[in-house]
Amino acid sequence: MATSSFYKPLFLVKCSIEKRPSYVSHNNSHHNHFNIPIASAFKKMAMIGLPEFPKIVATSAVRLVDVFVDSFFEFIDQPLLPSQNNFAPVEELGETMVVTNNIDGHIPNGFPEGVYIRNGPNPLFGGLKSTNSIFGKTSHVWVEGEGMLHALYFNYNNNNNNWTVLYNNRHVETETYKLEKQRNKPSFLPAIQGDSLAILFAYLLNLLRFGKVNKYISNTNVFEHSGKFYSVAESHIPQEIDIFTLKTLRNWDVNGAWNRPFCSHPKKAPGTGELVTLGISPILPFCELGIISADGKKLDHKVDLKLNRCTLCHELGVTQRYNVIMDFPLTIDLLRLVKGEQLIRYDKDEYARIGVMPRYGDASSIKWFEVEPNCTFHIINSFEEGHEVVVRGCRSLDSLIPGPHPSSNEFDCLSRCYEWRLNMETGEVKERSLIGPKVVYMDFPMVNENFMGIKNRYAYTQVVDPPASSTQDVPKYGGLAKLYFEESSSENLFMGDKQHDEDPIRVEYHMFEKNTFCSGAAFVPKDGGVEEDDGWIISFVHNEDNAISQVHIIDGKKLSGEAVAKITLPCRVPYGFHGAFMPISFQASH
């Protein structure tokens, strides 16, 4: 893995019917934006690595570069607005704390033993940084910051017939986390946003000093495969985590077979348990797909998808037979940076397409369906229905990563639930908003994992609070929603009518009190549950008026009802990204 760091993306990241024909292709005929000298230069650097010098010479050179950085670069704290206080980092607890006595309500019957865990940014040294230098300014963007895991453990004692609930938090200790902790000061220069010359020098100086162009922050998601647990962000390979202590154990490169990042949402293939992932890079090959065996020990398939641009693929979809690839115009382009433009940019005038690929196919087997330009980070679910592959996601018309030419509508960067129907025989595409003309912004979707890749009736999302989000660049989620895909909304439901494709679906809401917001919501299937929505939504919730953080458990069948349990936590939990509930045996921990 000595040279693998050069392949890391230079970013993090980090959810009316229209019927028309679609272009279906088995090749990539769009203009190649990245066949440029700088990409070749970066690739050659990666292949040959840095020259080897005697250790004393190398150490002296690094010290000289450090002196240069210390002399000409000033690290500055990025200020937070009062409405952004819960984005500020917190300290590690250092020990697990019992919170059983802090439960308002009760843990419901059928709730499984396990851990509810959420990932999110928790920057070192007090917060995100900017730098001033002779080359200009650079700054972190809001999705950066070292990952911190927040975990709530539910342990049932059969002898006493009672629950023990415990809470802990801990940073994900990547290589770059350890490096900065050892130095005890901000060291990596921000390299995402700012003046292009300053960004180029940040890459170069980070590379010379640390052998890496940017930090590995591992702050986006947590997933399980073959009984092991991993933290991930699409800027690096995953880190294996001890689920009981939250200790970072090692990087997971599938026994040396995978040498590039993971997408933040790898998916288990229905029926086989294989793990399907994507890895992107700002240099060729821009995107590769991998399939990892169900036991997690080997990489069974790896293929270059031969994309003509580096699309920021945060997630992929799976069905029973296919992989679903979202090639949308949010891209990373080194040439733009050299020209003084933005490294990461959403371009609404560029093409957008969805690829459907046989599970073990290659680039030539992908069927591409052109769709209306959009920016979709999160897929709700994808499945096969007749001759169609159905993809549902949280679709926006702009990017949450700020750009030089923002949309005239400040809420275009927020997502609405959407559906694409891709006909594998005719090439036809049907697109529609699932909610209809009603403007409700939603993201961070979740489904019963037992229905991933197959047709499902229900999904859940976090609901954006637009007024609370309008004062900052970061959305806040003031509620939860349940989507009923097979039921029409009450406004369009008539006695005896059958739902039509163009009808908005029914949506049920659970809204929090004023100035209270959630993050990392997940679905918890009921032990012995029969129906798809037998279970609960669990979520971290923070009240900004009293600065109290809780975990709420809400009935998945009656989402609009009161929470069945509210668990008050011993410290503030900052807003974060994705959460998951992992059934575990506490016998194993002993």
Side-chain angles (χ1 to χ4, degrees), residues 304-321:
D304 176 7
L305 299 183
K306 301 191 182 300
L307 300 188
N308 290 317
R309 60 188 182 185
C310 180
T311 297
L312 205 162
C313 296
H314 182 74
E315 183 163 14
L316 81 161
V318 292
T319 72
Q320 289 182 308
R321 294 182 294 167

Side-chain angles (χ1 to χ4, degrees), residues 15 393-395 411 414-418 433-443 461-466 477 479-483 491 505 507-509 511:
C15 347
C394 295
R395 172 187 183 267
F411 297 130
L414 301 177
S415 301
R416 298 172 66 184
C417 294
Y418 205 77
S433 169
L434 289 169
I435 311 300
K438 187 176 182 181
V439 179
V440 181
Y441 300 109
M442 305 180 184
D443 207 347
T461 67
Q462 296 178 184
V463 179
V464 177
D465 183 329
Y477 299 89
L480 300 162
K482 181 179 182 179
L483 310 179
E491 293 90 340
I505 65 170
V507 183
E508 181 183 3
Y509 296 98
M511 304 306 294

Side-chain angles (χ1 to χ4, degrees), residues 334-346:
L334 293 172
L335 180 58
R336 282 200 301 259
L337 188 64
V338 173
K339 291 163 61 178
E341 300 174 7
Q342 221 177 357
L343 175 67
I344 305 173
R345 187 175 74 191
Y346 174 70

Side-chain angles (χ1 to χ4, degrees), residues 403-414:
H405 306 294
S407 169
S408 58
N409 183 345
E410 65 175 318
F411 297 130
D412 273 355
C413 63
L414 301 177

